[in-house]
Amino acid sequence: WSSDVCSSDLYAAYAWSTPTLPAHHALVLTVPILAVGLARYGVVARRSPDRDAEALIARDPILVGSIVAFAVVAFGVLILAR
């Protein structure tokens, strides 16, 4: 659990402060989606430690949804920033 929180914090710092992203910092909107995905992956991985990552992700609708939501929001932010 703590590594999930640490990863989310590091990503949030990156999304807010990197000079290569849009100046309006809208990519921060993806941070909660990432946090949900990482937390869910941690729960699912602990339940099925013998499965590989691809199988875990493909069979969990919340993980698939968070990946799709992340991609849509990130793409939208980056396209609108042009």
Side-chain angles (χ1 to χ4, degrees):
W1 174 258
S2 64
S3 65
D4 299 341
V5 172
C6 183
S7 297
S8 297
D9 290 347
L10 290 173
Y11 177 74
Y14 165 76
W16 182 259
S17 65
T18 186
T20 60
L21 293 176
H24 52 70
H25 306 293
L27 201 60
V28 172
L29 295 172
T30 61
V31 172
I33 301 168
L34 178 91
V36 167
L38 286 174
R40 180 63 181 179
Y41 180 78
V43 168
V44 173
R46 283 185 195 88
R47 286 185 188 162
S48 304
D50 54 331
R51 284 201 168 149
D52 60 337
E54 294 85 10
L56 290 175
I57 293 169
R59 294 182 182 192
D60 189 75
I62 296 172
L63 279 171
V64 172
S66 62
I67 291 168
V68 170
F70 180 89
V72 168
V73 172
F75 182 76
V77 165
L78 295 175
I79 290 300
L80 293 175
R82 295 176 88 203

